[in-house]
Amino acid sequence: MAKSKILGDDPRTPKLMGVLLLFFATYLFVACFSYIFTWQIDQDKVNHFEFDLIFQDIEVSNWLGRLGAIVSHFLVFWLFGLPSFFIIYILLQYGLGIINGIPLERFSGRLRNSLAWMIGLSVLFGFVFYKSDFPWGGNFGRSISEWLMNFVGTIGTFLLVLLIIAFLIIWSYNPELKGLTLTNFFEQLKSAIFALWDDRYKNKTFDIKENTRRLTEMPSEKKEKTTTSPPSVSLAPMKAGEKSVIEEALAKPEPIAEPEAKEEAQEVEDGEFELNTKNQTTKATSLKVGETELEIEAAPPAAELSDILPTPPVKAVQGELFNEKPYGDISTPYDPTLDLSGYEYPVLPLLDNYEDQKVEIDRSELESNKDQIIETLLNYKIEIVKIRATIGPTVTLYEIVPAPGVRISRIKNLEDDIALSLAALGIRIIAPIPGRGTIGIEVPNKNKQMVSLREMLSSDRFRRSDMDLPIALGKSISNEPIVVDLAKMPHLLIAGATGQGKSVGINTILCSLLYKKHPSQLKLVLIDPKKVELSPYAKIDSHFLAYLPDQLEPIITDTAQVIKTLNSLVIEMESRYDLLKKAQARNIKEYNDKFIARRLNPEKGHKFLPFIVLVVDEFADLIMTAGKEIELPIGRLAQLARAVGIHLIIATQRPSVNIITGVIKANFPARIAFRVSSKVDSRTILDTNGADQLIGRGDMLLTAGSDIIRLQCAFVDTPEVERVINFIHEQPGYPQPYFLPEFTGGDAATNEVGAVDINDLDDMLEDAARLVVQNQHGSTSMIQRRLKLGYNRAGRIMDQLEHLGVVGPNEGSKPREVLFHDEVELQRFLQELRSKRFGN
């Protein structure tokens, strides 16, 4: 919704203007209504206006005193009489519209109609009540009527007044006049009078179910509100003018028309500090503490929570489904949600509300931290010009401007000293802050704010987003809700030590998708080696989950089933690419748009393709147990699956180079780092330090390329997740789950691995494999030298290791690549090989 240029960008300005207009409307209404009863008493005092009426103590009977008597006399007597109440109606409509953020242009038609009716009724009343002492039509209506009666006569004036009223009715309500006769004239006139009511509700139906109220528009009615689509973002090399995922997430949403809550102000000595705890606005002010100016910026929580999350309106498409009639009525687009047309999106009351967790500004804490920072820097002869504080839910960002000539590296090296002086954990220095020209020092708050998932889902940025896969991650350091599109990431890597918020982060991501997407538009493939984290989602298998046909449990926990599922997703990916090739579409969005427009024939294999999100928890455990059998399909999916709507979310608590390999890092540009134990792990996941300095409990860093922002992850508790799942589970689902293609490669029992007969393996092969893995160096000469074997036998063993997948192919004079990273993984493989070889 476009913001009025007249009102500016300050969100407080429209509220003040709206309240002022409502005050004027109320004041004029009381004054004019009082005039009806007191006009005879006050008329001789206000008929000829003099300034003595303002400055002298003259008694009047109007309820609002002398000013009320003057204003009401001017409106009712001198202007339009009783139709002057239309002016009050216009002020009331404009006031409410400005407060609710409705563009003023949408009131232009209502303004024209109100003015036309006011003038027309004024002339009518002036003519009908011409001899009355009360100014029914005001001086305007009486003067026009008197002139008309002298010009065209009384009967002519009567006919002209009827003509004007007829014009007003036709112009305002456009009544149906076909078939008008003298016998049904009065019935047509009655329908014209009530046309406003009929026109307001003739194309709308209401369906109230429990807490959810949905407004269903007929297909012929155009939507009054349109949302502005965010710019298309790709994490491939960006062209000029394109925005990154971080920039898109930080972009401010346009306001929506809903009542605004009251502002709460808190005064601070030596300055003014406004804290609006109900709106996402920012007020910066200055506190002079000591000799250095301290600017404080506090961005409070999101807007007041709604009881019900708006869901996409159900399209009123009737008739045969596209599945039954391939080419049917082309003018009626295919609607994939009709298979579950009665599906209700989860509502916000299912989630807990943490309204008591509000931002509290502790002035003494700000002053103490500011003084400690300045003192520490002065101890090392570093002077600063200005310091500014931005208070977030978990940490406060102190931005300092050093004096000219101070090297940034000197301040960066004092990180530990500043942490010692503040006695705080999790201090991080950003030197410099990109695009700000300042140096940032992040200090944890003593009183941390809870960022609830309900608050995030009720924010404008999430509710108004038209992203393909929106995820409400949490709040930034400036209290801005961060909503990102998984489809544009296109894959997400999550890392962090135990107990730092990974599982809560995964639940936040999944609940965001469940709140926004219909079961026909999204399928989830959940892999949980721990067997307990994702198990509650098994209840929605007939709605959102996808798995293999022969799988007993919808949540995949067995390593062998994981391998089959990943390879099945590779088959699904290749099948989708074949469909895109036939449809001449470059990505899933173009393909589905063509299918919805009925330009693709289902009889030729085409179908609506839902997004598939693969969630893998404890990825390190899978790599340790299955190794390359897991990494290879993951690598293929990460490289190719984006265009066909398959996206990966991988979580691990062990971000070492053996787990997060170069192939994975190259294809997972979007990464989330919770607190890790060492700088090495931080560099592994983010390619920079910082994750080791987080404070835990949902404190995280998000990167999508070069940009890194600090967030407080939205919190959702297990009981909340269970309520959302039960809400979906109690609704009718599909007759059968979304089955993935069958993968038979792992079931082929054979005594050959590759092109080697396992019965002819060399007796020294296991020793040679351990030697190669221990040294991470695959060469025939090393096996020959260390195991004291001949060259021919050592070469034969190396060929067998290649066919078994222990080492890579020959690369000339270079050593072969070792495909196993540790002995635990190798030992498991050798044990399986031994059981196949000896049959036990």
Side-chain angles (χ1 to χ4, degrees):
M1 185 181 300
K3 186 178 290 186
S4 176
K5 297 181 180 178
I6 300 177
L7 300 180
D9 295 329
D10 194 335
R12 295 169 297 182
T13 303
K15 298 176 190 175
L16 296 175
M17 291 293 297
V19 171
L20 189 62
L21 291 178
L22 292 180
F23 171 77
F24 286 153
T26 305
Y27 188 90
L28 293 179
F29 176 80
V30 176
C32 294
F33 188 75
S34 173
Y35 180 87
I36 298 175
F37 305 100
T38 62
W39 67 279
Q40 290 179 321
I41 303 175
D42 298 338
Q43 187 172 11
D44 60 330
K45 301 174 183 178
V46 299
N47 194 26
H48 300 286
F49 175 76
E50 296 179 357
F51 283 98
D52 293 342
L53 187 62
I54 298 177
F55 298 106
Q56 295 184 6
D57 190 10
I58 301 176
E59 292 187 2
V60 295
S61 299
N62 192 284
W63 299 345
L64 295 181
R66 296 194 298 274
L67 181 60
I70 295 173
V71 174
S72 60
H73 181 76
F74 175 75
L75 290 178
V76 180
F77 182 83
W78 288 109
L79 290 184
F80 305 104
L82 290 184
S84 297
F85 279 90
F86 275 100
I87 297 177
I88 302 173
Y89 169 76
I90 293 172
L91 292 176
L92 182 66
Q93 289 292 330
Y94 268 77
L96 293 175
I98 292 175
I99 290 177
N100 291 323
I102 301 176
L104 300 183
E105 294 80 3
R106 294 179 57 182
F107 292 99
S108 58
R110 198 172 301 176
L111 175 63
R112 290 193 301 268
N113 292 340
S114 299
L115 294 177
W117 276 100
M118 181 174 64
I119 296 173
L121 291 178
S122 177
V123 175
L124 174 64
F125 289 168
F127 172 74
V128 175
F129 303 103
Y130 179 73
K131 296 183 178 181
S132 175
D133 293 333
F134 183 79
W136 291 88
N139 190 51
F140 174 83
R142 178 171 293 185
S143 300
I144 296 296
S145 300
E146 183 179 357
W147 180 83
L148 288 176
M149 285 189 292
N150 292 332
F151 186 70
V152 297
T154 304
I155 298 178
T157 303
F158 175 74
L159 295 177
L160 281 176
V161 170
L162 290 182
L163 179 63
I164 292 173
I165 299 301
F167 277 179
L168 290 176
I169 293 175
I170 294 175
W171 176 260
S172 301
Y173 308 124
N174 191 21
E176 181 62 42
L177 299 180
K178 291 183 179 179
L180 179 65
T181 61
L182 292 177
T183 57
N184 63 2
F185 171 75
F186 292 101
E187 295 181 1
Q188 294 286 346
L189 181 61
K190 179 180 178 182
S191 63
I193 294 175
F194 293 98
L196 177 61
W197 178 269
D198 296 336
D199 184 66
R200 186 173 296 175
Y201 295 106
K202 65 183 179 181
N203 287 334
K204 297 181 180 180
T205 60
F206 288 88
D207 182 17
I208 302 177
K209 295 183 179 180
E210 298 179 358
N211 297 332
T212 307
R213 180 188 178 202
R214 298 180 180 176
L215 181 62
T216 305
E217 301 285 349
M218 298 300 291
S220 61
E221 183 174 355
K222 296 182 180 180
K223 297 180 180 179
E224 294 183 356
K225 297 180 181 180
T226 57
T227 57
T228 303
S229 301
S232 178
V233 178
S234 174
L235 287 178
M238 294 190 298
K239 301 178 182 178
E242 291 185 343
K243 295 183 178 180
S244 66
V245 174
I246 298 298
E247 292 173 342
E248 180 182 351
L250 290 173
K252 292 186 177 180
E254 299 173 351
I256 63 174
E258 62 180 25
E260 300 286 350
K262 297 180 179 180
E263 296 183 356
E264 298 180 3
Q266 178 182 0
E267 294 186 357
V268 182
E269 186 179 356
D270 296 331
E272 178 182 313
F273 178 71
E274 291 187 14
L275 175 60
N276 174 7
T277 60
K278 300 295 183 183
N279 280 313
Q280 300 174 7
T281 59
T282 300
K283 175 71 176 178
T285 184
S286 298
L287 283 176
K288 293 185 178 180
V289 185
E291 298 180 356
T292 305
E293 181 182 7
L294 171 62
E295 289 191 1
I296 302 177
E297 178 179 347
E304 190 171 290
L305 299 178
S306 306
D307 289 336
I308 298 174
L309 182 70
T311 57
V314 179
K315 299 179 182 178
V317 181
Q318 303 295 336
E320 296 184 5
L321 296 181
F322 187 62
N323 294 337
E324 301 174 359
K325 192 174 182 180
Y327 285 100
D329 183 6
I330 300 179
S331 62
T332 303
Y334 170 73
D335 187 0
T337 63
L338 285 180
D339 292 338
L340 290 180
S341 57
Y343 175 79
E344 295 182 9
Y345 291 79
V347 294
L348 281 180
L350 297 172
L351 303 175
D352 291 338
N353 193 357
Y354 300 92
E355 289 185 349
D356 55 336
Q357 301 288 340
K358 296 181 180 179
V359 176
E360 298 181 359
I361 306 302
D362 188 348
R363 179 188 175 190
S364 60
E365 180 183 353
L366 295 176
E367 292 182 1
S368 175
N369 291 341
K370 170 253 180 185
D371 292 337
Q372 291 290 345
I373 292 174
I374 295 176
E375 182 180 356
T376 303
L377 295 177
L378 289 178
N379 291 338
Y380 292 90
K381 299 180 180 180
I382 297 176
E383 297 182 0
I384 63 174
V385 177
K386 186 179 181 181
I387 184 169
R388 179 170 176 265
T390 302
I391 304 173
T394 306
V395 297
T396 298
L397 174 64
Y398 293 88
E399 295 183 57
I400 62 176
V401 179
V406 176
R407 299 179 61 181
I408 296 178
S409 59
R410 294 182 60 193
I411 300 178
K412 181 68 174 176
N413 294 333
L414 297 178
E415 187 171 334
D416 295 336
D417 300 277
I418 296 176
L420 178 63
S421 64
L422 296 177
L425 176 67
I427 289 181
R428 195 169 71 103
I429 294 181
I430 309 172
I433 298 178
R436 302 285 286 272
T438 59
I439 298 175
I441 302 176
E442 295 176 346
V443 181
N445 299 332
K446 292 181 180 179
N447 299 321
K448 300 175 180 61
Q449 174 198 352
M450 172 74 71
V451 179
S452 66
L453 179 61
R454 176 170 177 170
E455 183 180 355
M456 290 296 304
L457 298 185
S458 65
S459 64
D460 297 345
R461 183 167 287 137
F462 183 83
R463 293 167 58 191
R464 293 174 55 84
S465 69
D466 59 351
M467 301 175 180
D468 292 326
L469 296 174
I471 298 174
L473 288 179
K475 285 188 176 182
S476 66
I477 200 170
S478 59
N479 265 307
E480 289 290 334
I482 301 298
V483 181
V484 297
D485 190 358
L486 179 61
K488 295 177 181 178
M489 283 185 166
H491 311 296
L492 181 60
L493 182 61
I494 304 174
T498 303
Q500 303 304 319
K502 291 192 312 301
S503 297
V504 174
I506 292 176
N507 285 329
T508 297
I509 293 172
L510 293 178
C511 287
S512 300
L513 296 175
L514 294 180
Y515 264 85
K516 201 69 173 177
K517 307 304 291 185
H518 190 272
S520 63
Q521 302 168 341
L522 172 68
K523 299 300 174 184
L524 301 174
V525 179
L526 305 181
I527 297 177
D528 182 19
K530 290 196 294 188
K531 304 181 181 181
V532 294
E533 294 293 344
L534 303 178
S535 58
Y537 294 93
K539 292 183 178 180
I540 56 175
D541 58 337
S542 61
H543 298 82
F544 284 100
L545 298 191
Y547 50 91
L548 294 172
D550 59 345
Q551 190 172 319
L552 300 178
E553 296 292 334
I555 308 299
I556 307 157
T557 58
D558 182 64
T559 304
Q561 288 292 333
V562 171
I563 297 173
K564 293 181 181 180
T565 301
L566 294 178
N567 285 280
S568 176
L569 283 174
V570 173
I571 298 175
E572 173 73 13
M573 175 188 70
E574 294 173 345
S575 174
R576 290 189 171 198
Y577 267 116
D578 292 338
L579 293 177
L580 264 63
K581 179 181 177 182
K582 294 179 182 178
Q584 296 182 352
R586 294 183 301 174
N587 52 54
I588 187 175
K589 187 174 181 62
E590 293 182 6
Y591 178 88
N592 283 338
D593 288 343
K594 288 185 177 181
F595 190 83
I596 291 175
R598 299 184 182 272
R599 295 165 56 189
L600 302 177
N601 189 355
E603 295 180 356
K604 296 183 179 179
H606 293 290
K607 58 184 178 180
F608 182 83
L609 300 179
F611 285 94
I612 297 179
V613 177
L614 169 65
V615 180
V616 181
D617 194 11
E618 298 299 339
F619 182 68
D621 181 73
L622 296 178
I623 291 295
M624 290 177 61
T625 55
K628 288 297 179 180
E629 295 177 277
I630 297 291
E631 184 180 347
L632 292 178
I634 287 287
R636 289 205 62 194
L637 291 173
Q639 294 176 28
L640 302 174
R642 168 189 178 179
V644 293
I646 301 177
H647 304 277
L648 281 61
I649 300 176
I650 293 179
T652 179
Q653 64 178 352
R654 183 186 166 191
S656 61
V657 293
N658 292 338
I659 306 301
I660 304 178
T661 61
V663 175
I664 294 178
K665 289 181 64 175
N667 293 282
F668 283 77
R671 306 166 200 165
I672 289 178
F674 293 91
R675 185 183 179 185
V676 295
S677 57
S678 66
K679 295 182 182 295
V680 176
D681 291 341
S682 177
R683 287 193 292 267
T684 301
I685 181 67
L686 297 176
D687 294 327
T688 184
N689 297 332
D692 56 308
Q693 299 166 323
L694 300 176
I695 61 176
R697 298 181 63 84
D699 191 18
M700 68 181 190
L701 296 175
L702 169 66
T703 177
S706 59
D707 299 325
I708 297 180
I709 59 174
R710 189 169 185 173
L711 305 177
Q712 176 61 37
C713 181
F715 176 76
V716 57
D717 205 357
T718 302
E720 301 176 64
V721 177
E722 291 177 350
R723 288 196 294 269
V724 174
I725 292 173
N726 290 333
F727 180 86
I728 300 175
H729 171 67
E730 293 171 359
Q731 303 183 49
Y734 291 100
Q736 63 179 11
Y738 187 91
F739 288 131
L740 299 175
E742 293 188 14
F743 174 71
T744 58
D747 297 335
T750 177
N751 283 340
E752 292 191 5
V753 181
V756 178
D757 188 348
I758 61 175
N759 295 321
D760 294 335
L761 294 179
D762 195 284
D763 296 336
M764 299 291 293
L765 182 134
E766 293 187 8
D767 295 334
R770 294 189 187 95
L771 178 64
V772 169
V773 173
Q774 287 174 358
N775 293 274
Q776 289 295 299
H777 182 85
S779 67
T780 305
S781 59
M782 184 187 69
I783 296 177
Q784 179 184 7
R785 185 173 61 256
R786 294 287 187 87
L787 298 182
K788 299 179 180 180
L789 302 176
Y791 181 81
N792 293 335
R793 186 179 181 184
R796 187 167 57 253
I797 292 176
M798 183 59 71
D799 292 338
Q800 292 176 355
L801 291 176
E802 177 185 351
H803 290 297
L804 292 174
V806 178
V807 297
N810 185 19
E811 299 181 8
S813 60
K814 296 181 180 180
R816 296 173 184 253
E817 179 186 5
V818 181
L819 304 180
F820 284 79
H821 300 293
D822 52 48
E823 293 188 58
V824 177
E825 181 183 353
L826 176 65
Q827 188 61 33
R828 176 183 173 276
F829 173 76
L830 294 178
Q831 186 175 356
E832 293 179 357
L833 184 65
R834 201 180 299 116
S835 61
K836 290 182 180 180
R837 184 178 182 184
F838 300 106
N840 51 17

